[in-house]
Amino acid sequence: MVVYELSEEQTNKVFRALADATRRDIVRRTLRDEVSVSELAAHYDMSFAAVQKHVAVLETACLVTKIARGRERIVRGQPETIRQAQELLTSLEDIWRQRISRLDDFLAENEN
């Protein structure tokens, strides 16, 4: 049973985006609260432009959305995409658990 809803292309974008520690941290911060790009930039030892690029990668992967609020750009985490990625990982874990269970059964049968 397949429960995840991400396409292969979207799945690749999500996991590529999450492969970077700074982007994972940005996702954590934006899931807790809406944050401006300027506020995010203050937390990292990199240029404002570099933080903007990280946000753009996350936005392309649908892990965050960015909205204009006056002169600021507000970043908001997208928990639904995280949920879909988690469902994918859970389904993969289930496959491996089933394989391990079959191996355990095989080894138990052959002990005698």
Side-chain angles (χ1 to χ4, degrees):
M1 173 176 79
V2 177
V3 291
Y4 53 90
E5 302 165 15
L6 296 173
S7 69
E8 282 295 316
E9 180 181 353
Q10 187 63 27
T11 299
N12 290 339
K13 288 179 183 178
V14 166
F15 287 104
R16 277 190 207 115
L18 293 174
D20 182 85
T22 299
R23 290 193 288 262
R24 287 191 305 273
D25 190 61
I26 290 171
V27 169
R28 279 187 211 101
R29 290 174 189 277
T30 60
L31 286 170
R32 278 188 237 121
D33 198 13
E34 294 179 346
V35 184
S36 72
V37 177
S38 299
E39 289 174 304
L40 285 172
H43 291 282
Y44 305 105
D45 187 25
M46 63 181 74
S47 69
F48 180 83
V51 173
Q52 282 182 308
K53 287 180 183 179
H54 281 299
V55 170
V57 169
L58 293 169
E59 193 172 24
T60 299
C62 299
L63 289 162
V64 301
T65 56
K66 188 170 61 173
I67 57 170
R69 190 175 292 156
R71 292 176 22 176
E72 290 187 310
R73 299 297 173 256
I74 305 299
V75 184
R76 178 184 307 155
Q78 293 298 307
E80 179 62 18
T81 303
I82 299 294
R83 184 195 60 78
Q84 291 170 337
Q86 179 61 48
E87 286 180 3
L88 170 61
L89 291 172
T90 298
S91 71
L92 295 172
E93 179 183 9
D94 290 345
I95 291 168
W96 278 102
R97 287 185 183 280
Q98 290 170 10
R99 286 182 174 185
I100 291 169
S101 178
R102 287 194 309 265
L103 180 59
D104 286 344
D105 293 345
F106 175 78
L107 293 173
E109 288 172 11
N110 291 309
E111 275 184 358
N112 300 327

